[in-house]
Amino acid sequence: MNNLDAFFVDFCQTFLPACEKHLISSGIKQRNKLSRL
């Protein structure tokens, strides 16, 4: 794994969940709820 791969994996595991949690808590983004049939 090269340096760019390691950076991308770290970004996906660290930044994206924190960003999504912030957007949900601020009301900008709605949670994706599973649909029921």
Side-chain angles (χ1 to χ4, degrees):
M1 185 171 5
N2 65 25
N3 224 6
L4 187 59
D5 290 339
F7 172 76
F8 185 72
V9 169
D10 187 43
F11 175 80
C12 290
Q13 291 178 344
T14 306
F15 178 74
L16 291 179
C19 182
E20 190 161 325
K21 192 181 295 185
H22 170 72
L23 291 176
I24 289 172
S25 67
S26 65
I28 295 172
K29 180 177 179 179
Q30 297 295 318
R31 234 171 245 217
N32 291 333
K33 296 179 183 173
L34 295 175
S35 62
R36 289 179 151 179
L37 294 176

